Amino acid sequence: MSNMQLDTLRRIVQEINTSVSLHESLEIMVNQVSEAMHVDVCSIYLLDERNQRFVLMATKGLNPNAVGNVSLHTSEGLVGLVGQREEIVNLDNAPKHERFLYLPETGEEIYNSFLGVPVMYRRKVMGVLVVQNKEPQDFSEAAESFLVTLCAQLSGVIAHAHAVGNIDVFRKPNSLPTYKTFQGVSGSGGIAIGRAIILYPPADLAAVPDREADDISEELQLLDHAIASVRDEIQSLDDKMQDALMAEERALFSVFLRMLDENALPSEIKTEIRDGHWAQGAVRIVIDKHIALFAQMEDDYLRERVSDLKDLGRRILAYLQEADSSHRELTDESILIGDEISTAALVELPVDKIAAIVTTEGAMNSHMVIVARALGIPTVVGVTELPVSTLDDVEMIVDAHQGRVFINPPRRMRTRYKEIQKEEEQIAKDLKQYETKDAITPDGVAVKLYVNTGLMIDVVRGVQRGAKGVGLYRSEIPFMLRERFPGEEEQRAIYRQQLSHFANKPVVMRTLDIGADKDLPYFSIEEENSALGWRGIRFTLDHPEIFSSQIRAMLKASIGLNNLHILLPMVTSVSEVEEALYLLERDWVAVQEEEQVKITKPKIGIMVEVPSVLLQIDEFAPLVDFFSVGSNDLTQYLLAVDRNNPRVANVYSHSHPAVLRALTRLVQECHKYDKPVSICGEMAGDPLTAILLMAMGFNTLSMSSSNILRVRKAICHVPMPDAKVLLDQSLQMNNPLMVKSLLEYYFKTHGLGDMVKNSSRAVSL
Ligand code: PEP
Ligand code: MG
């Protein structure tokens, strides 16, 4: 593709990004494409799934009155052919083609050449883009590749515009708030009915939600104050740089100051405020408009000023947010929404007041999701199309079992979901009887169930639900709650609480596992490929002072309790364990000397998360006392699928035969060396896969407290011989969906249907 075409492409995408509605986006697209390609006609047809028809949504060249009034069934016409084949159709004489369908309303019979390109989004046809010429001539390969690239780029934009504008673009608008449905990935099951509250990162223009101004004159005042502050700030920057920068290099500051002149940006922002927007939203609208204008300029210098403009916008916003006292209070029915919500941001909120969480990013095993699961908050992540900024205070239903989010749900749907909520409360009540039962199969095999902890609430719930120990204490969670690395004594007190609540029971404390999606607010690790980067033991061995203060705190906390086990995360090589063991031994000797007490030496284990460990159990076994599988990361690395990326969430599965086979062999290997092996990833908390893990012979299964009762119930109902048969059958299957169906079928036919997630609870209207 030529540079000129690339430029055109970029311009079209930028212009569409700033359009306010789907219809406007499509208009822009057809006009720009027909101009750039010098074609007589450019039209876009979108698929109306409900009626299985391609509807003409925009055209340049055909009869404009046909827009919205002409449609073809998916089996009709050349447009239908492009949709059916999911590939390009390039014809020099379209009217002669057997599939050509003459639609008198369009006046297209005079056009001979036809090039139709499918607009695909996530493997599904969303529409067809067509260009036509009177001249009977094939379109060139260059034209094809231009349109293919354009459609690939634009499919996401269309999907988004589609979602933002109106999910049902084919229905006539009415005065009722628009009901919309969005699909994401289920992070933590449950149902919530409530209103959205946006959690947006500070000084991020793109994240500012749309909100009506409560008091226009107050918003105008806030703006005046913010503009004056930014002017002062830039003026003093300019003064400071007098000696360091040349006059031309400081020219930007005067450009900024001119932009802040009352007649420039401020007057435009004020117009938006007078139209009813709150000041922050008005700044976003005006800056976006200018960015779009700049981006279209042919002049490179001006194009590059886009980032300066953004910077100016951020500065104004920062002052406005500083003065913002309108933070909405959380209520019992608050549904927290945002693009990305960090674990730290989540746990800082009054978590008992969050009815549900919905984010556009993240995936099933992102760290925040694991914490939300522990807290029992229904969570849906990876809802990529959710127009977050437009949903402030909007009514929604979150069906986290199915990963669905309903905006402005109709009354019938609300009533049905209220009923389902009641049924779920009943199921939870029934599960309560398992709090005091042991996890023993009907044929008498006992399985040890441990709890994963991090917050104190996990400990309390773990004890209440009869956990036999802590299989994974995620020590990074208290680190995330602070504004700096906690000191040794501070850590000792935290660890003591964990150990003493489970006195006489084993508590496995993992050393600091940060990096990848586990960021500390005060120690951000920015890396291109963070899942493969500086994380877990790689980080702590590079910071022995942090490692040692943690080990020393754990050892001191264990005095008199003697139930401490230490677990090393993200181990890749034997040398890492040797180094860690050296530090552990050194700290153990030193703390005993300092405290003048004998401290029982903790058992030391490693996490099996990196596939290399699977192949070196013989070398690790003599060094350690136990193994613990982190199936969340192990699945990520075995399948090479980012556990946080919603785009590939369908490829990430702990029921994948490769994962099941690796785990089966691992258990055998560990037992060959007489080493206990447990599993503490989310796989252990899924009743379906827990049965397979039990059959593999894992010594303990450790899970979030919210899953213990369900898993215990499953164990109490599935005899070991059945579990072994299910495992054998699963190991012979070649894809995860078949494994899942097999397990679901067994559960549904053995009185355990309510344990099957995503059961057929879909509420349709
Ligand atoms: C895992 O990877 O499975 C695990 C338990 O650790 P985390 O989810 O905290 O990375
Ligand atoms: Mg892990």
Side-chain angles (χ1 to χ4, degrees):
M1 187 169 297
S2 71
N3 279 348
M4 209 179 74
Q5 282 183 325
L6 273 177
D7 264 3
T8 313
L9 195 69
R10 206 175 297 133
R11 223 183 19 240
I12 298 177
V13 174
Q14 267 159 355
E15 203 176 323
I16 283 166
N17 273 333
T18 59
S19 68
V20 293
S21 69
L22 174 63
H23 290 277
E24 191 185 322
S25 304
L26 299 180
E27 280 295 312
I28 294 171
M29 225 183 292
V30 292
N31 287 325
Q32 295 269 14
V33 170
S34 67
E35 193 182 312
M37 292 182 70
H38 308 292
V39 287
D40 299 326
V41 174
C42 175
S43 316
I44 294 176
Y45 298 80
L46 290 191
L47 179 63
D48 175 356
E49 268 194 295
R50 202 176 18 198
N51 298 313
Q52 283 301 296
R53 297 188 77 80
F54 284 107
V55 184
L56 178 67
M57 296 299 290
T59 184
K60 173 81 201 263
L62 297 184
N63 178 5
N65 294 332
V67 170
N69 295 318
V70 161
S71 67
L72 302 105
H73 191 265
T74 45
S75 60
E76 284 177 345
L78 293 169
V79 169
L81 184 67
V82 176
Q84 272 170 343
R85 286 202 192 153
E86 301 184 357
E87 60 185 29
I88 296 175
V89 172
N90 187 351
L91 302 169
D92 61 348
N93 200 335
K96 283 230 173 94
H97 193 280
E98 54 179 12
R99 284 288 295 263
F100 181 78
L101 184 72
Y102 173 52
L103 298 168
E105 305 90 327
T106 62
E108 71 178 326
E109 70 281 10
I110 53 166
Y111 301 105
N112 286 300
S113 52
F114 172 102
L115 174 60
V117 181
V119 181
M120 307 282 300
Y121 186 72
R122 301 209 166 160
R123 301 190 192 176
K124 273 174 65 183
V125 176
M126 295 190 65
V128 174
L129 189 150
V130 174
V131 291
Q132 290 169 287
N133 264 333
K134 285 184 189 143
E135 195 80 359
Q137 216 172 45
D138 269 350
F139 281 94
S140 67
E141 240 180 75
E144 282 189 8
S145 73
F146 175 71
L147 283 191
V148 167
T149 318
L150 186 72
C151 286
Q153 291 268 339
L154 296 185
S155 62
V157 179
I158 295 179
H160 185 69
H162 200 277
V164 174
N166 184 342
I167 197 79
D168 194 352
V169 292
F170 309 104
R171 199 184 270 169
K172 296 264 175 291
N174 58 28
S175 55
L176 289 174
T178 327
Y179 158 56
K180 301 175 192 172
T181 312
F182 295 91
Q183 185 69 48
V185 177
S186 165
S188 162
I191 282 163
I193 303 170
R195 300 193 92 86
I197 183 156
I198 303 174
L199 196 68
Y200 52 96
D204 179 354
L205 265 183
V208 171
D210 286 334
R211 203 177 272 179
E212 269 180 40
D214 289 338
D215 178 344
I216 290 181
S217 59
E218 197 180 316
E219 295 297 310
L220 289 170
Q221 264 180 18
L222 284 172
L223 180 75
D224 278 338
H225 177 76
I227 298 278
S229 309
V230 177
R231 286 186 68 85
D232 287 350
E233 187 180 292
I234 291 170
Q235 192 62 62
S236 61
L237 263 177
D238 191 23
D239 295 345
K240 211 167 99 191
M241 293 293 162
Q242 289 272 2
D243 298 331
L245 296 177
M246 305 212 307
E248 315 77 273
E249 289 162 341
R250 283 189 286 113
L252 179 65
F253 297 132
S254 41
V255 173
F256 271 6
L257 289 173
R258 253 179 286 134
M259 284 176 160
L260 292 173
D261 270 353
E262 186 54 33
N263 295 331
L265 287 180
S267 99
E268 286 183 50
I269 301 172
K270 284 181 180 172
T271 306
E272 296 294 337
I273 296 178
R274 289 194 189 98
D275 278 352
H277 293 282
W278 68 320
Q280 297 186 30
V283 172
R284 192 202 67 213
I285 293 168
V286 170
I287 296 284
D288 276 358
K289 207 156 63 188
H290 282 265
I291 289 174
L293 285 176
F294 272 43
Q296 278 180 42
M297 305 215 176
E298 303 292 345
D299 181 339
D300 282 350
Y301 175 80
L302 286 175
R303 267 215 310 255
E304 280 159 21
R305 298 284 71 79
V306 164
S307 57
D308 298 328
L309 201 59
K310 280 189 188 157
D311 181 53
L312 189 60
R314 261 196 305 266
R315 286 172 194 268
I316 306 173
L317 185 64
Y319 281 105
L320 285 174
Q321 290 181 339
E322 211 177 82
D324 179 16
S325 56
S326 68
H327 291 303
R328 198 166 288 130
E329 291 282 309
L330 291 183
T331 67
D332 285 345
E333 51 160 37
S334 292
I335 295 173
L336 206 60
I337 67 171
D339 286 321
E340 197 182 359
I341 296 177
S342 69
T343 312
L346 171 63
V347 291
E348 258 169 24
L349 295 166
V351 282
D352 54 325
K353 285 225 176 292
I354 302 171
I357 300 172
V358 180
T359 61
T360 57
E361 297 184 9
M364 198 174 139
N365 284 327
S366 310
H367 205 243
M368 178 281 284
V369 177
I370 291 174
V371 174
R373 204 173 298 150
L375 295 166
I377 304 174
T379 301
V380 180
V381 289
V383 194
T384 41
E385 306 311 329
L386 193 77
V388 171
S389 65
T390 64
L391 296 179
D392 195 35
D393 206 26
V394 167
E395 190 181 347
M396 32 198 311
I397 292 177
V398 178
D399 177 346
H401 297 298
Q402 311 202 65
R404 293 228 179 114
V405 178
F406 306 96
I407 309 293
N408 292 315
R411 196 160 40 94
R412 246 173 72 199
M413 175 174 270
R414 225 178 307 139
T415 316
R416 178 68 190 115
Y417 268 107
K418 283 230 161 86
E419 284 166 15
I420 295 178
Q421 260 185 331
K422 283 217 182 86
E423 286 165 28
E424 299 216 324
E425 279 161 21
Q426 190 52 46
I427 293 175
K429 255 194 215 143
D430 293 345
L431 275 177
K432 252 189 134 21
Q433 57 176 300
Y434 289 92
E435 283 185 352
T436 48
K437 289 202 171 140
D438 282 327
I440 300 181
T441 61
D443 53 323
V445 181
V447 182
K448 267 193 238 160
L449 300 189
Y450 284 13
V451 65
N452 291 348
T453 63
L455 299 167
M456 214 36 220
I457 187 164
D458 302 322
V459 176
V460 175
R461 288 197 183 153
V463 171
Q464 186 193 346
R465 294 175 188 174
K468 299 278 185 255
V470 174
L472 171 68
Y473 168 59
R474 288 187 165 95
S475 69
E476 62 276 7
I477 292 186
F479 277 65
M480 284 175 182
L481 297 179
R482 286 170 171 70
E483 266 140 31
R484 53 179 170 76
F485 283 103
E488 191 178 306
E489 176 47 31
E490 215 175 330
Q491 289 184 56
R492 190 203 61 79
I494 302 168
Y495 303 154
R496 181 81 187 174
Q497 277 191 329
Q498 294 275 332
L499 293 168
S500 55
H501 273 78
F502 278 90
N504 302 321
K505 296 195 179 91
V507 174
V508 179
M509 297 197 141
R510 175 169 78 182
T511 58
L512 193 62
D513 186 20
I514 57 165
D517 66 329
K518 298 175 206 168
D519 236 357
L520 298 178
Y522 45 89
F523 193 91
S524 168
I525 301 172
E526 302 265 334
E527 286 178 320
E528 188 88 336
N529 205 346
S530 62
L532 304 183
W534 203 37
R535 49 175 309 197
I537 197 166
R538 302 172 189 179
F539 169 84
T540 41
L541 287 181
D542 284 349
H543 277 284
E545 76 291 5
I546 294 175
F547 186 72
S548 272
S549 84
Q550 194 172 28
I551 297 300
R552 289 167 54 86
M554 286 179 181
L555 289 168
K556 287 184 184 172
S558 76
I559 294 174
L561 292 168
N562 308 328
N563 57 348
L564 170 66
H565 294 53
I566 292 179
L567 182 61
L568 305 171
M570 273 300 290
V571 167
T572 312
S573 302
V574 168
S575 59
E576 292 163 336
V577 179
E578 287 168 343
E579 249 182 273
L581 288 176
Y582 165 78
L583 296 174
L584 281 158
E585 179 76 19
R586 189 193 65 183
D587 293 332
W588 179 62
V589 173
V591 173
Q592 291 186 95
E593 256 177 37
E594 281 166 34
E595 300 291 315
Q596 289 295 304
V597 283
K598 192 154 168 33
I599 300 177
T600 308
K601 197 170 194 175
K603 291 213 177 338
I604 312 290
I606 59 168
M607 291 198 76
V608 183
E609 295 179 294
V610 181
S612 63
V613 177
L614 293 173
L615 304 172
Q616 282 189 285
I617 292 296
D618 53 341
E619 283 153 299
F620 283 108
L623 296 175
V624 299
D625 301 305
F626 66 97
F627 292 90
S628 181
V629 177
S631 54
N632 307 335
D633 277 316
L634 186 63
T635 305
Q636 152 162 275
Y637 298 126
L638 266 184
L639 305 183
V641 183
D642 181 349
R643 68 193 254 193
N644 295 310
N645 184 344
R647 277 208 199 119
V648 287
N650 58 335
V651 194
Y652 181 99
S653 168
H654 53 228
S655 311
H656 194 290
V659 176
L660 300 180
R661 289 176 203 174
L663 294 181
T664 307
R665 282 176 211 158
L666 171 75
V667 175
Q668 289 163 358
E669 279 261 301
C670 293
H671 288 171
K672 192 167 93 192
Y673 293 97
D674 266 340
K675 298 287 163 168
V677 55
S678 62
I679 177 159
C680 57
E682 299 304 299
M683 186 179 182
D686 175 346
L688 300 180
T689 37
I691 292 304
L692 298 184
L693 299 170
M694 162 180 106
M696 288 178 200
F698 272 96
N699 297 76
T700 51
L701 310 184
S702 190
M703 64 208 69
S704 154
S705 60
S706 45
N707 288 330
I708 290 187
L709 299 183
R710 284 153 38 86
V711 171
R712 191 174 294 138
K713 175 172 173 185
I715 290 172
C716 289
H717 282 79
V718 182
M720 190 56 114
D722 280 20
K724 292 221 156 122
V725 170
L726 287 169
L727 176 62
D728 280 348
Q729 289 172 335
S730 300
L731 289 173
Q732 280 161 37
M733 294 191 164
N734 64 10
N735 92 61
L737 289 178
M738 284 167 70
V739 173
K740 207 161 166 256
S741 314
L742 169 81
L743 296 171
E744 285 186 0
Y745 180 75
Y746 179 92
F747 271 57
K748 284 182 184 163
T749 49
H750 289 77
L752 295 168
D754 56 324
M755 317 242 107
V756 177
K757 271 201 223 153
N758 304 330
S759 56
S760 53
R761 292 183 159 275
V763 173
S764 55
L765 289 169

